[in-house]
Amino acid sequence: MRTTEVSEGIFRLSANVKDILFEGIWPIPNGVAMNSYVVKGKKCAIIDGVCDWDGVPETLFAQLDEMNVKLTDIDYVIVNHMEPDHSGWLRAFKEIRGTFTIYCSEKAKPLLEAFYGIHDDVHVVKSGDTLDLGAGRVLVFQDIPNVHWPETMATYDTLSKTLFPCDAFGSFGSVSDDAPYDDTLTEEQIQFFEREMERYYANIVAAFSHPTKQAIAKLGGIEIKTIAPGHGIVWRKDPGRVIRDYVRLAEYGNGPAKPEVAVIWASMYGMTELGIAPVVEAIEAEGVPTHVYRVPETEMSFVLDAVWKCSGVVLAMPTYEYKIFPPMFAVIDEMFKKRIVRRKAFRFGSYGWSGGAQKELDETMARLRGKWDFIEPVEFKGRPTDADLDLIRERGRELAREVKRWCLAEGGAGSAAE
Ligand code: FEO
């Protein structure tokens, strides 16, 4: 663990977290970096926290030592966001440090009380308020509600023109202490974090895409030389790149996204499964890449990632007790909670003594007001016949052509950028 200098007077403190489910739900096989920043003027502020899940880790103190910052030098703690992955250290820090002032938004204040019993020395700020650290360093605060909780704000250092946006512009993926900056990474390594960013976005931020777009618009008038997020790498060579990434990702929910197809399928006894290879071959024969995931074997996190970034979706599942096979229903329900609003789609699947999955899918789409454009489904009793499989191939090709047409016509953020 090593502390590094982002720019003169700004230090990055970070810990990689692994072997947990992020937010208690999302797997992070490549870990995630938890970033905090110490900003020094004549006075010293720490922005967000280097969190252990149980409180202040030893690493925080070791890192402060590396910067020649004593605990008692920290005058201010800026709480951009109250989710405990960033704020979970506060109670322990309060006990150790004692005297410091917390700067946070109005909506964060009751959460400080609720989560940590902290109510003293809390200074509420609103957009445009400032904190002068001395030596020419002034911090400005900007509310960015719902990126990711309603209380979230961003902090901007006017001296270095560094933006500290917490969850926004973040990604999954452990970050090497030797190379935490885009200018110290190879293009291949940056692309790794951009891939991790897609699943992070689909899992954590997707439901808040509208506020994310509003936040990006609000921050649009500010000169930004560096973006120092709460997760992932620091962008100081090309901060515009991660802004463009987030603009693209925020648009995916309304589509079109990438000109690709997510094939999400479930099968009880292998009957529906018989259609998977034919539909994948048919889609790919049209030159459209596929991402194939079986449910419930694949964790929701990866399914959402695929559906978020693909303009086309195949839902293949059987009827179970007159309804959609339950693990697929859970996935479909979550897709709508993540506001995957528009897609080109095709559904097929098997039934036994009775159908019902298609009826429930139609009802669910109507109830959730999904603007998914489905081509005609294919349902079969028991094992699919050769004619059924031919029909699945035909519909797969039709879906692929629809996806290509849509991406070409509306030029989506995804198709333009890829
Ligand atoms: Fe990284 Fe919404 O917390």
Side-chain angles (χ1 to χ4, degrees):
M1 189 70 59
R2 195 164 61 83
T3 301
T4 57
E5 195 165 22
V6 178
S7 59
E8 191 178 346
I10 299 180
F11 299 87
R12 172 185 175 272
L13 296 76
S14 184
N16 289 318
V17 177
K18 294 178 182 167
D19 304 324
I20 60 154
L21 291 174
F22 195 76
E23 293 189 325
I25 182 170
W26 312 115
I28 42 171
N30 296 315
V32 63
M34 305 295 312
N35 301 331
S36 175
Y37 301 91
V38 167
V39 183
K40 289 166 84 174
K42 283 185 180 165
K43 297 210 163 198
C44 192
I46 185 164
I47 299 177
D48 296 320
V50 175
C51 257
D52 201 280
W53 303 103
D54 300 320
V56 178
E58 296 289 319
T59 48
L60 171 62
F61 302 112
Q63 292 191 0
L64 289 175
D65 274 350
E66 280 185 45
M67 290 179 291
N68 292 320
V69 172
K70 293 197 265 321
L71 211 54
T72 50
D73 292 339
I74 295 177
D75 306 291
Y76 306 105
V77 171
I78 314 298
V79 177
N80 277 329
H81 177 28
M82 270 299 298
E83 191 164 11
D85 54 329
H86 306 281
S87 68
W89 67 306
L90 277 173
R91 192 169 175 163
F93 189 69
K94 187 88 177 160
E95 283 168 13
I96 296 161
R97 168 70 179 95
T99 309
F100 59 91
T101 303
I102 292 176
Y103 274 57
C104 66
S105 69
E106 188 176 3
K107 286 185 176 170
K109 191 175 180 186
L111 293 173
L112 279 168
E113 172 78 46
F115 276 85
Y116 309 114
I118 294 175
H119 42 76
D120 294 332
D121 303 318
V122 177
H123 183 82
V124 168
V125 292
K126 58 185 186 310
S127 289
D129 285 355
T130 58
L131 169 61
D132 190 343
L133 295 178
R137 193 177 288 283
V138 176
L139 302 180
V140 184
F141 307 103
Q142 174 70 54
D143 289 322
I144 51 167
N146 297 309
V147 194
H148 153 230
W149 285 8
E151 89 304 352
T152 312
M153 64 180 195
T155 299
Y156 176 71
D157 171 38
T158 53
L159 185 64
S160 64
K161 308 199 186 313
T162 300
L163 180 71
F164 303 94
C166 203
D167 277 351
F169 307 119
S171 77
F172 287 146
S174 293
V175 177
S176 161
D177 290 333
D178 295 327
Y181 304 107
D182 61 344
D183 52 287
T184 56
L185 295 167
T186 64
E187 175 60 25
E188 190 180 344
Q189 289 169 323
I190 292 172
Q191 287 178 15
F192 163 81
F193 285 105
E194 287 179 313
R195 284 193 298 278
E196 289 287 315
M197 184 188 296
E198 289 182 335
R199 193 167 60 86
Y200 170 93
Y201 190 97
N203 292 180
I204 312 294
V205 189
F208 307 101
S209 287
H210 184 61
T212 299
K213 285 187 260 187
Q214 289 179 319
I216 291 171
K218 267 187 198 175
L219 300 169
I222 301 170
E223 183 186 1
I224 296 172
K225 287 189 175 168
T226 300
I227 292 180
H231 305 289
I233 62 172
V234 174
W235 302 79
R236 61 185 186 186
K237 181 178 79 176
D238 186 5
R241 179 167 176 169
V242 72
I243 295 172
R244 290 191 296 277
D245 283 340
Y246 261 68
V247 167
R248 173 173 59 86
L249 289 167
E251 293 295 343
Y252 278 177
N254 281 323
K258 296 183 184 184
E260 300 175 7
V261 173
V263 179
I264 312 301
W265 68 279
S267 190
M268 294 166 65
Y269 297 106
M271 303 298 116
T272 299
E273 183 176 5
L274 290 170
I276 300 303
V279 82
V280 168
E281 283 166 22
I283 293 166
E284 294 194 344
E286 290 287 335
V288 174
T290 58
H291 304 268
V292 184
Y293 290 108
R294 183 173 188 172
V295 170
E297 284 79 354
T298 307
E299 289 176 88
M300 180 98 73
S301 169
F302 299 94
V303 173
L304 292 173
D305 177 34
V307 177
W308 186 261
K309 64 193 178 192
C310 288
S311 299
V313 183
V314 172
L315 298 173
M317 69 284 193
T319 289
Y320 183 91
E321 296 178 352
Y322 307 102
K323 302 284 187 185
I324 294 171
F325 187 58
M328 278 294 281
F329 182 83
V331 163
I332 292 165
D333 188 52
E334 194 60 28
M335 287 175 195
F336 282 90
K337 287 179 179 153
K338 296 300 186 195
R339 313 254 167 96
I340 303 176
V341 177
R342 285 204 305 163
R343 288 295 180 265
K344 299 290 179 186
F346 165 50
R347 185 255 153 178
F348 70 87
S350 172
Y351 60 91
W353 74 90
S354 163
Q358 187 60 43
K359 182 169 180 285
E360 190 181 28
L361 180 62
D362 293 340
E363 288 168 355
T364 302
M365 285 290 158
R367 178 170 54 82
L368 298 176
R369 286 182 279 189
K371 295 174 187 166
W372 287 37
D373 182 12
F374 278 87
I375 59 177
E376 194 179 343
V378 177
E379 287 205 290
F380 41 87
K381 193 174 178 74
R383 174 181 287 269
T385 63
D386 287 346
D388 292 327
L389 294 175
D390 283 344
L391 205 50
I392 287 170
R393 285 188 192 91
E394 190 181 313
R395 302 274 153 80
R397 284 193 294 272
E398 188 182 337
L399 176 68
R401 288 194 291 267
E402 283 290 312
V403 164
K404 286 192 286 188
R405 263 197 293 274
W406 188 29
C407 291
L408 202 60
E410 297 196 22
S415 49
E418 300 313 306

